Amino acid sequence: MVIVKTTVRRDVLTLPAAESGPENPLPPLLPLRAVHTLDERDKEGLPRDMARQLGYEPLRSPLPTRVLDGYGRERTETRLDVIVVENDRLRATVLPGYGGRVHSLFHKPTGRELLYRNPVLQPAAFALNGAWFSGGIEWNIGATGHTTLSCAPVHAARVAGPDGGEMLRLWEWERLRDLPFQVDLWLPEGSDFLHVGVRIRNPHERSAPVYWWSNIAVPDERRVLAPADEAWRFAYPGGLSKVPVPEYDGADRTYPRRSEYPADYFYDVPDGERRWIAALDEEGHGLVQTSTDLPRGRKLFLWGTGTGGRRWQEWLTEPGTGGYAEIQSGLARTQLEHVRLDAEAEFSWLESYGPLSAPADRVHGDWAGARGEVAARLADALPRDAVDAAYEAWLARADAEPGEVLAVGSGWGALEVLRAEYKLPGTPFDASTLGPEQAPWVELLQTGAVPEPRKVVPPGSTLVAPHWRDMLETAPARPLAEYHLGIAQWHAGDRAQAVRSWERGLELAPSRWPLLRCLAVADHAEGNTERAADRYAEAFDDLCQERRDDGVVWTAATAALGAEAITALLDARRPEAARTVWERLHEATREEGRFRLLEAQLLYAEGDMAAVRAVFESGFEAADLREGAEELGDLWAAATGEEIPERYDFRMRPPQG
C-alpha cells in the first residue's frame, strides 16, 4: 500500500460571503450582552472548584478589542485564502483569516464530511465583539462566549512535525486576557485522526483567567454521545441545573431534534474516565473527538425545533441546507467558568478528531450500551495511550520555530514583545507585523506621551492592560491621553476616576464627541437617563459638525453614535430629539436593516402604529441581532397585538405566561 505524504499547502476556497464590515469606532465600555452569572444561592450544592470558577473574573467588556457590527446580509461569491492539511486519509481545510477555523474535515476513504460545513459565510452577532459565523471547528479563547478572533486573522506557518513531516501552526495574542496561544494541526501519515496541540502561555508576573472551548459543528440529525450519566443544563432565561442523561423532561436529549428550545448540556464526565464526545448518524457513522485529560468539559448545544431555533439556523446559513448542533470540549466543566493560570505558567494538551462508525442498533439503543460501544470502537481506532504518546511527541516540537509563513495575523503580539521583551519560543511576534493601529502605542512606549492626531479622525483603539494603564497615568494630560486613560480606568473598575479623566479631557479637547459619548455611557450605567440623553445628543451634534467626509470611518462613527443616541433619547422618552438624530444619519445608513428596526422603534415611540406595521411588512433583516434577541417580536406584538410572524421570531425560550 502506498502512503501519501502529509502536505500543508495554500489554496483558495470560494464561498458566498458577507463582508465583516468596518470596526465600530466607539469603545465597548460594557458587555454586548448580559454576562452569564449565577448568584450565590444558585451556587449552593455545586462542586467547590466549579463554584469558585463560576465567579472568577467574568468579562467586564470586550475591551481592548473593537466591536464588529458593520456587516450586512448581502452575500457575494468571495475567494477566501485557506490552508489545507492533507494525507491519503483526511483533508482539513483551515481559514487563517477567520480565527484559524477548520472549515472542513473530509474523510477520503468513505467520502464523508465529518463536520457541519456551512455553505455560506454569514456574520452574526454571536462573538464577544460581534461578528461570528457558524460551522466547522473553532478555537474559543478569552471569556464565556465566542472568541473575538472569530472574524480576525491569525498567524500561520509550516512547522516540522513530530514524525518528521509537516505541521500547521496557528498562533496569536489573545487580547481580552492578554495571553499568547498556539494551535498546531498535525496529521500523521496514514492516520485517520487529525491531532491538534494547544498551548496557552501566561508570560506575565500575575495570574490570569483562562477560557478555552473547542467548538465542533455537526449535522443535528446525529445522536451525541459522551461518557456521562448526568449533565449540567443551562438554558434561556438562565440557571444551571443537574439533569440525567440521556432522558430529561420526557425526551432523549442526546438527539438534538428532540428539544424544542435551545439549551446547553455540559456532560459531567467522571474523574478517571477517558475524555471523548461523538456525534453519529442514523447508520452509526460520524465524528469522534477525544483528548488528553486536561480538558475535562464536554458539551452539547442544540438549537431545538421551535420557531426561534429554526429561524436562527436559517439566519446563520441558507434555508434548506440542514441544521446543526455543536459538540464541544473545554478546560472547565461548564462555559460559565474561568480557570486560573499561574504567572509564567502554561496550559497544554492534545485533541484528536476523526471518523467513527458503530452498529446503528447499538448507537441508537439504550444509553449504557451505546456509550460502551462507542468507547470500545474509539479504543480500537485510537487507543488512549496513543493519544498520550502523540501529546508527548507534539510537546517536544511545541517550541520548534516556524518555517514558511503562510498567513499573517495582527501586530498586537509584536507590541507586547517590544514592550516586555518576552521570549516565546515557537510563536514569534515579529516587529514587521507592527502597523498603524500599534503606532501610537509604540510612541507612548518610546516617548512616554500619547501622540496627538495630525488630522481630525475618530480616536483609535485603547489598550487597557495594567501596564498600559500605568503608562497612561504618567503621560502628559492631553485630551486624547485623558480619553484613553478614562477607558482603561473604566475597564479596571474605577468608574469614578474614569469620569474625572474624561471630564478633564473635555475641557481642552478639540474633538468633544468621543469624550461626551463616554460620559453618556457612564451616566446610563448609573441610571441617569436624562443626563445620558443630553450628552448623547450633544455628542452626536458635535460629531456631525466635525465629520470630514462620507468615507468608511466617518460613516461608521456616525452610524454607531447615532444608533446609541437614538436609543438613549427614546429611553428618556424624547422621540422628537431622537427624530432629529435620525434625520442627520446618512441616507444609506437609514436603509440598512438594523436601522429599519431602529426606525420602527422610533415610530412606535411617536405613536404611529400603522407606520410600524408598514416597516415590518416591507420586510427587513436587522443583521446585528444578538443571541437571545427578542426586540423584534416584542415590538411587533406591542404595535399590533398579533402573533409574531415567523421571519421575525428569534425567541430562544418558551413564551412567558
Side-chain angles (χ1 to χ4, degrees), residues 73-258:
R73 300 281 300 166
E74 182 178 344
R75 298 189 286 264
T76 58
E77 292 295 318
T78 305
R79 289 168 59 86
L80 303 171
D81 291 329
V82 299
I83 301 171
V84 178
V85 184
E86 183 172 22
N87 66 5
D88 62 329
R89 311 288 295 176
L90 280 178
R91 180 170 63 245
T93 304
V94 179
L95 295 166
Y98 291 84
R101 174 107 36 129
V102 177
H103 175 70
S104 168
L105 188 60
F106 183 76
H107 188 233
K108 297 180 181 181
T110 59
R112 295 191 186 104
E113 173 60 56
L114 301 182
L115 307 173
Y116 169 76
R117 179 185 181 276
N118 197 335
V120 305
L121 199 162
Q122 176 58 60
F126 280 67
L128 291 165
N129 64 335
W132 172 86
F133 63 103
S134 65
I137 307 172
E138 60 177 309
W139 318 112
N140 285 308
I141 181 173
T144 300
H146 292 283
T147 177
T148 60
L149 294 166
S150 295
C151 291
V154 296
H155 301 282
R158 285 191 177 91
V159 183
D163 57 358
E166 291 186 325
M167 181 167 65
L168 171 62
R169 175 160 299 161
L170 310 168
W171 73 99
E172 242 311 343
W173 197 280
E174 200 287 310
R175 301 181 66 206
L176 295 183
R177 302 307 195 181
D178 209 22
L179 302 174
F181 73 99
Q182 72 188 75
V183 177
D184 289 353
L185 283 74
W186 168 37
L187 186 53
E189 292 180 12
S191 175
D192 276 324
F193 282 84
L194 174 70
H195 294 317
V196 179
V198 182
R199 179 165 64 166
I200 303 170
R201 288 188 273 197
N202 180 6
H204 307 295
E205 295 179 350
R206 63 181 188 278
S207 63
V210 169
Y211 172 94
W212 182 281
W213 283 80
S214 301
N215 186 359
I216 310 141
V218 294
D220 68 359
E221 78 273 8
R222 299 181 183 180
R223 188 182 198 187
V224 174
L225 301 105
D229 291 315
E230 294 181 303
W232 298 96
R233 182 179 184 270
F234 186 87
Y236 287 85
L240 192 65
S241 59
K242 196 75 165 285
V243 299
V245 176
E247 289 197 10
Y248 165 68
D249 198 20
D252 186 335
R253 305 300 177 171
T254 62
Y255 292 91
R257 292 185 177 179
R258 295 185 185 177

Side-chain angles (χ1 to χ4, degrees), residues 44 99 116-117 131 171 200 248 306 369 392 416 575 579 602 615 637:
E44 292 177 3
Y116 169 76
R117 179 185 181 276
W171 73 99
I200 303 170
Y248 165 68
E392 294 298 334
E416 293 303 323
R579 174 63 65 180
L602 176 55
V615 171

